[in-house]
Amino acid sequence: MLKLCMNGASKTRIVYQANLNSASAKPYIEHLINNGLVEKVPVGSKIIYKTTPKGVELTRVFNQFHSEMNKLFSCV
């Protein structure tokens, strides 16, 4: 979800791209907002969800960790 929201995403886009239904997506989105990883941005009458700098940093660290784990276990 953090990657989906990097450039801003509607709830509909998040639901479809994350392969969730609206009811199951809501608690995930709220959890990301409550932890400062995603923010609600009003755009006209719509709400767009955008990854915060904290969320961008978490994504970067996770990707780096994932890459290092792949290197570590590709030698096995």
Side-chain angles (χ1 to χ4, degrees):
M1 282 189 185
L2 292 174
K3 284 185 180 182
L4 289 173
C5 296
M6 287 288 182
N7 296 315
S10 66
K11 186 175 180 182
T12 302
R13 180 170 178 227
I14 295 168
V15 165
Y16 285 110
Q17 293 285 317
N19 198 27
L20 299 168
N21 63 47
S22 185
S24 63
K26 185 177 179 180
Y28 289 110
I29 293 169
E30 288 176 359
H31 185 71
L32 292 171
I33 290 169
N34 291 338
N35 285 284
L37 302 171
V38 168
E39 63 185 345
K40 287 183 182 182
V41 179
V43 177
S45 62
K46 296 182 180 185
I47 296 292
I48 299 298
Y49 298 91
K50 185 148 176 57
T51 305
T52 64
K54 181 179 176 181
V56 171
E57 178 63 12
L58 178 62
T59 303
R60 186 193 67 75
V61 169
F62 177 80
N63 287 338
Q64 183 179 7
F65 172 79
H66 190 260
S67 175
E68 292 300 320
M69 293 301 289
N70 281 339
K71 289 177 194 175
L72 179 65
F73 289 105
S74 68
C75 297
V76 176

Coordinates of all heavy atoms in Angstrom, one line a residue:
M1 N 0.8 -1.2 0.0 CA 0.0 0.0 0.0 C 0.9 1.3 0.0 O 0.5 2.2 -0.6 CB -0.9 0.0 1.2 CG -2.1 -0.9 1.1 SD -3.2 -0.5 2.4 CE -4.4 -1.8 2.1
L2 N 2.0 1.2 0.7 CA 2.9 2.4 0.7 C 3.3 2.7 -0.7 O 3.4 3.9 -1.1 CB 4.0 2.2 1.6 CG 3.7 2.1 3.1 CD1 5.0 1.7 3.9 CD2 3.1 3.4 3.6
K3 N 3.7 1.7 -1.5 CA 4.1 1.9 -2.9 C 3.0 2.5 -3.7 O 3.2 3.4 -4.5 CB 4.7 0.6 -3.5 CG 6.0 0.3 -3.0 CD 6.5 -0.9 -3.8 CE 7.9 -1.3 -3.3 NZ 8.4 -2.5 -4.1
L4 N 1.8 1.9 -3.5 CA 0.6 2.4 -4.3 C 0.4 3.9 -4.0 O -0.1 4.6 -4.9 CB -0.6 1.6 -3.9 CG -0.7 0.2 -4.3 CD1 -1.9 -0.5 -3.7 CD2 -0.8 0.1 -5.8
C5 N 0.6 4.3 -2.8 CA 0.3 5.7 -2.4 C 1.4 6.7 -2.7 O 1.3 7.9 -2.3 CB -0.1 5.7 -1.0 SG -1.6 4.8 -0.6
M6 N 2.6 6.3 -3.2 CA 3.7 7.2 -3.4 C 3.3 8.4 -4.2 O 3.7 9.5 -3.8 CB 4.8 6.4 -4.1 CG 5.6 5.4 -3.3 SD 6.6 6.2 -2.1 CE 7.4 4.8 -1.4
N7 N 2.6 8.3 -5.2 CA 2.2 9.4 -6.0 C 0.7 9.8 -5.8 O 0.2 10.6 -6.6 CB 2.4 9.1 -7.5 CG 3.8 8.9 -7.9 OD1 4.7 9.7 -7.4 ND2 4.1 7.9 -8.6
G8 N 0.2 9.3 -4.7 CA -1.2 9.5 -4.4 C -2.1 8.5 -5.0 O -1.9 8.1 -6.2
A9 N -3.1 8.0 -4.3 CA -4.0 7.0 -4.8 C -5.3 7.1 -4.1 O -5.4 7.4 -2.9 CB -3.4 5.6 -4.5
S10 N -6.4 6.9 -4.8 CA -7.7 6.9 -4.3 C -7.9 5.6 -3.5 O -7.2 4.6 -3.8 CB -8.8 7.0 -5.4 OG -8.8 5.9 -6.2
K11 N -9.0 5.5 -2.7 CA -9.3 4.3 -2.0 C -9.6 3.2 -3.0 O -9.2 2.0 -2.8 CB -10.4 4.5 -1.0 CG -10.7 3.3 -0.2 CD -11.8 3.6 0.9 CE -12.0 2.4 1.7 NZ -13.1 2.6 2.7
T12 N -10.3 3.6 -4.1 CA -10.7 2.6 -5.1 C -9.5 2.0 -5.7 O -9.4 0.8 -5.9 CB -11.5 3.3 -6.2 OG1 -12.7 3.9 -5.6 CG2 -12.0 2.3 -7.3
R13 N -8.5 2.8 -6.0 CA -7.2 2.3 -6.6 C -6.5 1.4 -5.7 O -6.0 0.3 -6.1 CB -6.3 3.4 -7.0 CG -5.0 2.9 -7.7 CD -4.2 4.0 -8.3 NE -3.0 3.4 -8.8 CZ -1.8 3.9 -8.6 NH1 -1.6 5.0 -8.0 NH2 -0.7 3.3 -9.1
I14 N -6.5 1.8 -4.4 CA -5.8 0.9 -3.4 C -6.5 -0.4 -3.3 O -5.9 -1.5 -3.3 CB -5.8 1.6 -2.0 CG1 -4.9 2.9 -2.1 CG2 -5.3 0.7 -0.9 CD1 -5.1 3.8 -0.9
V15 N -7.8 -0.4 -3.2 CA -8.6 -1.6 -3.1 C -8.3 -2.6 -4.3 O -8.0 -3.7 -4.1 CB -10.1 -1.3 -3.1 CG1 -11.0 -2.5 -3.3 CG2 -10.5 -0.7 -1.7
Y16 N -8.4 -2.0 -5.5 CA -8.1 -2.9 -6.7 C -6.7 -3.3 -6.8 O -6.4 -4.5 -7.1 CB -8.6 -2.2 -8.0 CG -10.0 -2.1 -8.2 CD1 -10.8 -0.9 -8.0 CD2 -10.8 -3.3 -8.4 CE1 -12.1 -0.9 -8.2 CE2 -12.1 -3.3 -8.6 CZ -12.8 -2.1 -8.4 OH -14.2 -2.0 -8.6
Q17 N -5.7 -2.4 -6.6 CA -4.3 -2.8 -6.8 C -3.8 -3.7 -5.7 O -3.0 -4.6 -5.9 CB -3.5 -1.5 -6.8 CG -3.7 -0.6 -8.0 CD -3.1 -1.2 -9.2 OE1 -2.0 -1.7 -9.2 NE2 -3.8 -1.1 -10.3
A18 N -4.4 -3.6 -4.5 CA -4.0 -4.5 -3.4 C -4.8 -5.7 -3.3 O -4.6 -6.6 -2.4 CB -4.1 -3.7 -2.1
N19 N -5.8 -5.9 -4.2 CA -6.6 -7.0 -4.3 C -7.4 -7.2 -2.9 O -7.4 -8.3 -2.4 CB -5.9 -8.3 -4.7 CG -6.8 -9.4 -5.1 OD1 -7.8 -9.1 -5.7 ND2 -6.3 -10.6 -5.0
L20 N -8.0 -6.2 -2.5 CA -8.8 -6.2 -1.2 C -10.2 -5.7 -1.5 O -10.4 -5.2 -2.6 CB -8.2 -5.3 -0.2 CG -6.7 -5.6 0.3 CD1 -6.2 -4.4 1.1 CD2 -6.7 -6.8 1.1
N21 N -11.1 -5.9 -0.6 CA -12.4 -5.3 -0.7 C -12.4 -4.0 0.2 O -11.5 -3.8 1.0 CB -13.5 -6.2 -0.4 CG -13.5 -6.7 1.1 OD1 -13.4 -5.9 2.0 ND2 -13.7 -8.0 1.3
S22 N -13.3 -3.2 0.0 CA -13.3 -1.9 0.7 C -13.3 -2.0 2.2 O -12.6 -1.3 2.9 CB -14.6 -1.1 0.2 OG -14.5 0.2 0.8
A23 N -14.1 -3.0 2.7 CA -14.2 -3.2 4.1 C -12.9 -3.7 4.7 O -12.5 -3.2 5.8 CB -15.3 -4.2 4.5
S24 N -12.1 -4.5 4.0 CA -10.9 -5.0 4.5 C -9.7 -4.0 4.3 O -8.8 -4.0 5.1 CB -10.5 -6.4 3.9 OG -10.3 -6.2 2.5
A25 N -9.8 -3.1 3.4 CA -8.8 -2.1 3.1 C -8.8 -1.0 4.2 O -7.8 -0.5 4.6 CB -8.9 -1.5 1.7
K26 N -10.0 -0.7 4.7 CA -10.2 0.4 5.6 C -9.3 0.3 6.8 O -8.6 1.3 7.2 CB -11.7 0.5 6.0 CG -11.9 1.7 6.9 CD -13.4 1.9 7.2 CE -13.6 3.1 8.1 NZ -15.0 3.3 8.4
P27 N -9.3 -0.8 7.6 CA -8.4 -0.9 8.8 C -6.9 -0.7 8.4 O -6.1 -0.1 9.2 CB -8.7 -2.2 9.4 CG -9.6 -2.9 8.5 CD -10.1 -2.0 7.5
Y28 N -6.5 -1.3 7.3 CA -5.1 -1.1 6.9 C -4.7 0.3 6.6 O -3.7 0.8 7.0 CB -4.8 -1.9 5.6 CG -4.8 -3.4 5.8 CD1 -5.8 -4.2 5.3 CD2 -3.8 -4.0 6.6 CE1 -5.8 -5.6 5.5 CE2 -3.7 -5.4 6.8 CZ -4.8 -6.2 6.2 OH -4.8 -7.5 6.4
I29 N -5.6 1.0 5.9 CA -5.4 2.4 5.6 C -5.4 3.2 6.9 O -4.5 4.1 7.1 CB -6.5 3.0 4.6 CG1 -6.3 2.3 3.2 CG2 -6.4 4.5 4.5 CD1 -7.5 2.6 2.3
E30 N -6.3 3.0 7.8 CA -6.4 3.7 9.0 C -5.1 3.4 9.9 O -4.6 4.4 10.5 CB -7.6 3.3 9.8 CG -8.9 3.9 9.2 CD -10.1 3.4 10.0 OE1 -10.0 2.6 10.9 OE2 -11.2 3.8 9.5
H31 N -4.6 2.2 9.9 CA -3.4 1.9 10.6 C -2.2 2.6 10.0 O -1.4 3.2 10.8 CB -3.1 0.4 10.5 CG -2.0 -0.1 11.3 ND1 -2.0 -0.1 12.7 CD2 -0.8 -0.5 11.0 CE1 -0.8 -0.6 13.1 NE2 -0.1 -0.8 12.1
L32 N -2.1 2.7 8.7 CA -1.0 3.5 8.1 C -1.1 5.0 8.4 O -0.1 5.6 8.7 CB -1.0 3.3 6.6 CG -0.7 1.8 6.1 CD1 -0.9 1.7 4.6 CD2 0.8 1.5 6.4
I33 N -2.3 5.5 8.4 CA -2.5 6.9 8.8 C -2.1 7.1 10.2 O -1.4 8.1 10.6 CB -3.9 7.3 8.5 CG1 -4.2 7.4 7.0 CG2 -4.2 8.7 9.1 CD1 -5.7 7.5 6.6
N34 N -2.6 6.3 11.1 CA -2.3 6.4 12.6 C -0.9 6.3 12.9 O -0.4 6.9 13.9 CB -3.1 5.4 13.4 CG -4.6 5.7 13.3 OD1 -5.1 6.8 13.1 ND2 -5.4 4.7 13.6
N35 N -0.1 5.7 12.1 CA 1.3 5.5 12.3 C 2.2 6.5 11.5 O 3.4 6.4 11.4 CB 1.8 4.1 12.0 CG 1.3 3.2 13.2 OD1 1.9 3.2 14.2 ND2 0.2 2.4 12.9
G36 N 1.5 7.4 10.9 CA 2.2 8.5 10.1 C 2.9 8.1 8.9 O 3.8 8.7 8.4
L37 N 2.4 7.0 8.3 CA 3.0 6.5 7.1 C 2.3 6.9 5.8 O 2.9 7.0 4.7 CB 3.1 4.9 7.1 CG 3.9 4.4 8.3 CD1 3.7 2.9 8.4 CD2 5.4 4.7 8.2
V38 N 1.0 7.2 6.0 CA 0.2 7.7 4.9 C -0.7 8.9 5.4 O -1.0 8.9 6.6 CB -0.8 6.6 4.4 CG1 -1.8 7.1 3.4 CG2 0.0 5.5 3.7
E39 N -1.0 9.8 4.5 CA -1.8 10.9 4.9 C -2.9 11.1 3.9 O -2.8 10.7 2.7 CB -1.0 12.2 5.0 CG -0.4 12.6 3.6 CD 0.5 13.9 3.7 OE1 0.4 14.6 4.8 OE2 1.2 14.1 2.8
K40 N -4.1 11.6 4.4 CA -5.2 11.9 3.5 C -5.0 13.3 3.0 O -4.7 14.3 3.7 CB -6.5 12.0 4.4 CG -7.0 10.7 4.8 CD -8.3 10.9 5.5 CE -8.9 9.6 6.1 NZ -10.2 9.9 6.7
V41 N -5.1 13.4 1.7 CA -5.0 14.7 1.0 C -6.3 15.0 0.2 O -6.6 14.3 -0.7 CB -3.8 14.7 0.0 CG1 -3.7 16.0 -0.7 CG2 -2.5 14.3 0.7
P42 N -7.0 16.1 0.6 CA -8.2 16.4 -0.1 C -7.9 17.0 -1.5 O -7.0 17.9 -1.6 CB -8.9 17.4 0.8 CG -8.0 17.8 1.8 CD -6.8 16.9 1.8
V43 N -8.5 16.5 -2.5 CA -8.3 17.0 -3.8 C -9.7 17.2 -4.4 O -10.4 16.3 -4.8 CB -7.5 16.0 -4.7 CG1 -7.4 16.5 -6.2 CG2 -6.2 15.7 -4.2
G44 N -10.2 18.4 -4.3 CA -11.6 18.7 -4.7 C -12.5 18.0 -3.7 O -12.3 18.2 -2.5
S45 N -13.4 17.2 -4.2 CA -14.3 16.5 -3.4 C -13.9 15.1 -3.0 O -14.5 14.4 -2.4 CB -15.7 16.4 -4.0 OG -15.6 15.7 -5.3
K46 N -12.7 14.7 -3.5 CA -12.1 13.4 -3.3 C -11.0 13.4 -2.2 O -10.4 14.5 -2.0 CB -11.6 12.8 -4.6 CG -12.6 12.6 -5.7 CD -12.0 12.0 -6.9 CE -13.0 11.8 -8.0 NZ -12.4 11.1 -9.1
I47 N -10.8 12.3 -1.7 CA -9.6 12.1 -0.8 C -8.6 11.2 -1.5 O -8.9 10.1 -2.0 CB -10.1 11.4 0.5 CG1 -11.1 12.2 1.3 CG2 -8.9 11.0 1.4 CD1 -10.5 13.5 1.9
I48 N -7.4 11.7 -1.5 CA -6.3 10.9 -2.1 C -5.4 10.5 -0.9 O -5.1 11.3 0.0 CB -5.5 11.7 -3.1 CG1 -6.4 12.1 -4.3 CG2 -4.2 11.0 -3.6 CD1 -6.9 11.0 -5.1
Y49 N -4.9 9.3 -0.9 CA -3.9 8.9 0.1 C -2.5 8.9 -0.4 O -2.3 8.5 -1.5 CB -4.3 7.4 0.6 CG -5.7 7.4 1.2 CD1 -6.8 7.1 0.4 CD2 -5.9 7.6 2.5 CE1 -8.1 7.1 0.9 CE2 -7.2 7.6 3.1 CZ -8.2 7.3 2.3 OH -9.5 7.3 2.8
K50 N -1.7 9.6 0.3 CA -0.3 9.8 -0.1 C 0.7 9.3 0.9 O 0.5 9.6 2.1 CB -0.1 11.3 -0.4 CG 1.3 11.6 -1.0 CD 1.2 12.8 -1.9 CE 2.5 13.2 -2.5 NZ 3.2 12.1 -3.2
T51 N 1.7 8.6 0.5 CA 2.8 8.2 1.4 C 3.5 9.4 2.0 O 3.9 10.2 1.2 CB 3.7 7.2 0.7 OG1 2.9 6.2 0.1 CG2 4.7 6.6 1.6
T52 N 3.7 9.4 3.3 CA 4.5 10.5 3.9 C 6.0 10.2 3.8 O 6.4 9.1 3.4 CB 4.1 10.5 5.4 OG1 4.6 9.3 6.0 CG2 2.6 10.8 5.7
P53 N 6.8 11.2 4.1 CA 8.2 11.0 4.1 C 8.6 9.8 5.0 O 9.5 9.0 4.6 CB 8.8 12.3 4.6 CG 7.8 13.3 4.2 CD 6.5 12.6 4.3
K54 N 8.0 9.7 6.1 CA 8.3 8.5 7.0 C 7.9 7.2 6.3 O 8.7 6.2 6.4 CB 7.4 8.6 8.3 CG 7.6 7.5 9.3 CD 6.8 7.7 10.5 CE 6.9 6.6 11.5 NZ 6.0 6.8 12.7
G55 N 6.8 7.2 5.6 CA 6.5 6.0 4.8 C 7.4 5.7 3.7 O 7.7 4.5 3.4
V56 N 7.9 6.7 3.0 CA 8.9 6.6 1.9 C 10.2 6.0 2.5 O 10.7 5.1 1.9 CB 9.1 7.9 1.2 CG1 10.3 7.8 0.3 CG2 7.9 8.4 0.5
E57 N 10.6 6.5 3.7 CA 11.8 6.0 4.3 C 11.6 4.5 4.7 O 12.5 3.7 4.5 CB 12.2 6.8 5.5 CG 13.4 6.3 6.2 CD 14.7 6.4 5.4 OE1 14.8 6.9 4.3 OE2 15.7 5.8 5.9
L58 N 10.5 4.2 5.3 CA 10.2 2.8 5.6 C 10.3 1.9 4.4 O 10.9 0.8 4.4 CB 8.9 2.6 6.3 CG 8.5 1.2 6.7 CD1 9.5 0.6 7.7 CD2 7.1 1.2 7.3
T59 N 9.7 2.3 3.3 CA 9.7 1.6 2.1 C 11.1 1.4 1.5 O 11.5 0.3 1.1 CB 8.9 2.3 1.0 OG1 7.5 2.4 1.5 CG2 8.8 1.5 -0.3
R60 N 11.9 2.4 1.6 CA 13.3 2.3 1.2 C 14.1 1.3 2.0 O 14.8 0.5 1.5 CB 14.0 3.7 1.3 CG 15.4 3.7 0.7 CD 16.2 5.0 1.0 NE 16.5 5.1 2.5 CZ 17.4 4.4 3.1 NH1 18.1 3.5 2.5 NH2 17.6 4.6 4.4
V61 N 13.9 1.4 3.3 CA 14.7 0.5 4.2 C 14.2 -0.9 4.0 O 15.0 -1.9 4.0 CB 14.5 0.9 5.7 CG1 15.0 -0.1 6.7 CG2 15.2 2.3 6.0
F62 N 12.9 -1.1 3.8 CA 12.4 -2.5 3.6 C 12.9 -3.0 2.3 O 13.3 -4.2 2.2 CB 10.9 -2.5 3.6 CG 10.3 -3.8 3.2 CD1 10.2 -4.8 4.2 CD2 9.9 -4.1 2.0 CE1 9.7 -6.1 3.9 CE2 9.4 -5.4 1.6 CZ 9.3 -6.4 2.6
N63 N 13.0 -2.2 1.2 CA 13.5 -2.7 -0.1 C 15.0 -3.0 0.1 O 15.4 -4.0 -0.5 CB 13.3 -1.6 -1.1 CG 11.8 -1.5 -1.6 OD1 11.0 -2.5 -1.4 ND2 11.5 -0.4 -2.1
Q64 N 15.7 -2.2 0.8 CA 17.1 -2.5 1.0 C 17.3 -3.8 1.8 O 18.1 -4.7 1.4 CB 17.8 -1.4 1.8 CG 19.3 -1.6 2.0 CD 19.9 -0.4 2.7 OE1 19.2 0.5 3.2 NE2 21.2 -0.4 2.8
F65 N 16.5 -4.0 2.8 CA 16.6 -5.3 3.6 C 16.2 -6.5 2.7 O 16.9 -7.5 2.7 CB 15.6 -5.2 4.8 CG 15.4 -6.5 5.5 CD1 16.4 -6.9 6.4 CD2 14.3 -7.2 5.3 CE1 16.2 -8.1 7.1 CE2 14.1 -8.4 6.0 CZ 15.1 -8.9 6.9
H66 N 15.2 -6.3 1.9 CA 14.7 -7.4 1.0 C 15.8 -7.8 0.0 O 16.1 -8.9 -0.2 CB 13.4 -7.0 0.3 CG 12.8 -8.1 -0.4 ND1 12.9 -8.2 -1.8 CD2 12.0 -9.1 0.0 CE1 12.2 -9.3 -2.2 NE2 11.7 -9.8 -1.1
S67 N 16.5 -6.7 -0.5 CA 17.6 -7.0 -1.5 C 18.7 -7.7 -0.8 O 19.3 -8.6 -1.4 CB 18.0 -5.6 -2.0 OG 19.1 -5.8 -2.8
E68 N 19.1 -7.3 0.4 CA 20.2 -8.0 1.1 C 19.8 -9.4 1.5 O 20.7 -10.3 1.4 CB 20.5 -7.2 2.4 CG 21.2 -5.8 2.1 CD 22.5 -5.9 1.4 OE1 23.3 -6.8 1.6 OE2 22.7 -5.0 0.5
M69 N 18.6 -9.7 1.8 CA 18.2 -11.0 2.1 C 18.2 -11.9 0.9 O 18.6 -13.1 0.9 CB 16.8 -11.0 2.7 CG 16.7 -10.4 4.1 SD 17.7 -11.2 5.3 CE 16.9 -12.7 5.6
N70 N 17.8 -11.3 -0.3 CA 17.9 -12.1 -1.5 C 19.3 -12.4 -1.8 O 19.6 -13.5 -2.3 CB 17.3 -11.3 -2.7 CG 15.8 -11.4 -2.6 OD1 15.2 -12.3 -2.1 ND2 15.1 -10.4 -3.3
K71 N 20.3 -11.5 -1.7 CA 21.7 -11.7 -1.9 C 22.2 -12.8 -1.0 O 22.9 -13.7 -1.4 CB 22.5 -10.5 -1.7 CG 22.3 -9.4 -2.7 CD 23.2 -8.2 -2.3 CE 22.8 -7.0 -3.1 NZ 23.5 -5.8 -2.7
L72 N 21.8 -12.8 0.3 CA 22.3 -13.7 1.3 C 21.8 -15.1 0.9 O 22.6 -16.1 1.0 CB 21.7 -13.3 2.7 CG 22.1 -14.2 3.8 CD1 23.6 -14.2 4.1 CD2 21.4 -13.8 5.1
F73 N 20.5 -15.3 0.5 CA 20.0 -16.6 0.3 C 20.1 -17.1 -1.1 O 19.8 -18.2 -1.4 CB 18.5 -16.7 0.8 CG 18.4 -16.6 2.3 CD1 18.0 -15.5 2.9 CD2 18.8 -17.7 3.0 CE1 18.0 -15.4 4.3 CE2 18.7 -17.7 4.4 CZ 18.3 -16.6 5.1
S74 N 20.6 -16.2 -2.0 CA 20.8 -16.7 -3.4 C 22.0 -17.5 -3.5 O 22.2 -18.2 -4.5 CB 20.8 -15.5 -4.4 OG 22.0 -14.7 -4.1
C75 N 22.9 -17.5 -2.5 CA 24.2 -18.2 -2.5 C 24.0 -19.6 -2.0 O 24.9 -20.5 -2.1 CB 25.2 -17.5 -1.6 SG 25.7 -15.9 -2.2
V76 N 22.8 -19.9 -1.4 CA 22.6 -21.2 -0.8 C 22.2 -22.2 -1.9 O 21.6 -22.1 -2.8 CB 21.5 -21.1 0.3 CG1 21.1 -22.5 0.8 CG2 21.9 -20.2 1.3

